[in-house]
Amino acid sequence: MAFRNWRIGIHIQQDKIAIVALRFERSRWALCRWWHIALAPGIVRNGQVADGMALAERLRGWRRELPLQHQVSIAFPASRTLQKRVPSPQISLRESEQAMWAASAMAQQLEMPVSSLCVDYSASPDASEWRVTAAQRLDIDALRQLAARLKLRVSAIVPDASALSAFFPWLPAELSGLTWHDEMHWIWALPDSWGSCPRAEVATFAQLSARLNARQLGLCSTRPADECRFDPWSVIHRLQPPLPSCGDSFAVALGLALGVH
């Protein structure tokens, strides 16, 4: 009974993997386990899985620790996606037709075959346009193959930036969105958008806030001295010590385990 329905978030980073398992009990979140798994150079390059076999082998010991009842969400880099806004179709379409239309519209803009893309879409609040996100199918297939090798029960594969929106129900009223960064990129989520930008272009948190024109952006951080800090671990009611010393690395994994809103 103690192992039922683990919700697991996996964030594959350049040199490590951050994994969190949560369980929802008595209307609150409880931490089951966390894992910090180092990766050898070359397994992941620029956010892309370069050696799927080596990555699966690195995770086999971890996989043996999982219960049968689990569901996994895996992040891929928002920096490897492209977002466009396209006018809504002028005719009424069924759901399957909408997906085909969105994929075709994005493929035409990118001058790429539809078969090479994985596409998601959502309507704007006034329904005048669609927000379409495209990722290369090769990136998504690499994660699907990893999950198949490890026999994981995958519920979602989503851009890392969009995972930050899972924390929105716990944000203080003064914060309009969240951001997180690693060595190379900022990722951010606002109520109506999410995205990524290189740290080489935007050096500081203040510069990112100005670029996004955000009312007040929160920074995912466990360090008390950080400006506009939001501690992602604070949303978990029951924590199992010891917690990781590199707690900031787990923000995306925690958001994935909570579920993207």
Side-chain angles (χ1 to χ4, degrees):
M1 199 70 179
F3 296 101
R4 175 176 286 183
N5 296 329
W6 280 18
R7 295 269 299 268
I8 299 169
I10 301 179
H11 186 197
I12 301 169
Q13 302 171 46
Q14 191 76 6
D15 58 351
K16 59 185 172 292
I17 309 175
I19 307 176
V20 172
L22 304 178
R23 187 173 63 252
F24 195 64
E25 57 182 21
R26 299 178 183 176
S27 301
R28 292 177 174 177
W29 288 102
L31 176 65
C32 301
R33 292 284 303 276
W34 59 266
W35 298 263
H36 185 271
I37 300 171
L39 293 178
I43 294 179
V44 176
R45 297 193 190 108
N46 300 319
Q48 189 175 23
V49 176
D51 191 338
M53 293 292 289
L55 184 58
E57 193 59 35
R58 191 72 185 91
L59 287 168
R60 289 200 188 280
W62 162 79
R63 175 62 180 93
R64 288 191 287 269
E65 299 180 32
L66 300 188
L68 179 62
Q69 296 295 326
H70 70 267
Q71 61 184 71
V72 172
S73 295
I74 307 174
F76 68 94
S79 59
R80 295 189 63 83
T81 67
L82 184 66
Q83 299 181 68
K84 294 281 189 181
R85 296 182 181 232
V86 299
S88 299
Q90 298 300 306
I91 60 175
S92 179
L93 299 175
R94 294 192 296 268
E95 186 173 349
S96 60
E97 294 172 332
Q98 291 177 0
M100 292 177 60
W101 186 90
S104 177
M106 185 62 91
Q108 288 178 14
Q109 290 205 21
L110 297 176
E111 298 183 351
M112 297 176 66
V114 173
S115 60
S116 68
L117 300 174
C118 287
V119 174
D120 194 14
Y121 66 95
S122 62
S124 63
D126 62 2
S128 64
E129 61 182 10
W130 284 3
R131 298 164 180 162
V132 185
T133 303
Q136 293 193 50
R137 188 171 296 277
L138 287 174
D139 288 354
I140 305 302
D141 284 348
L143 297 176
R144 287 173 174 161
Q145 290 164 12
L146 174 68
R149 289 188 181 109
L150 296 171
K151 298 182 179 179
L152 296 173
R153 301 187 175 197
V154 175
S155 60
I157 299 175
V158 299
D160 50 13
S162 68
L164 298 181
S165 65
F167 297 109
F168 284 179
W170 292 275
L171 282 187
E174 66 270 16
L175 295 183
S176 60
L178 275 179
T179 185
W180 177 87
H181 67 82
D182 57 15
E183 291 79 8
M184 299 298 294
H185 290 91
W186 294 97
I187 60 174
W188 50 266
L190 297 171
D192 60 351
S193 62
W194 51 263
S196 168
C197 62
R199 294 189 70 188
E201 294 179 8
V202 181
T204 67
F205 173 66
Q207 290 173 353
L208 180 67
S209 297
R211 177 168 174 164
L212 296 176
N213 196 26
R215 174 168 52 84
Q216 189 166 352
L217 202 60
L219 174 65
C220 287
S221 173
T222 58
R223 297 181 292 271
D226 281 342
E227 179 186 2
C228 299
R229 181 178 73 99
F230 175 81
D231 183 353
W233 292 94
S234 66
V235 309
I236 311 303
H237 177 69
R238 186 165 67 82
L239 294 169
Q240 299 267 6
L243 295 179
S245 57
C246 51
D248 290 2
S249 298
F250 289 79
V252 171
L254 279 163
L256 292 168
L258 291 169
V260 178
H261 293 263

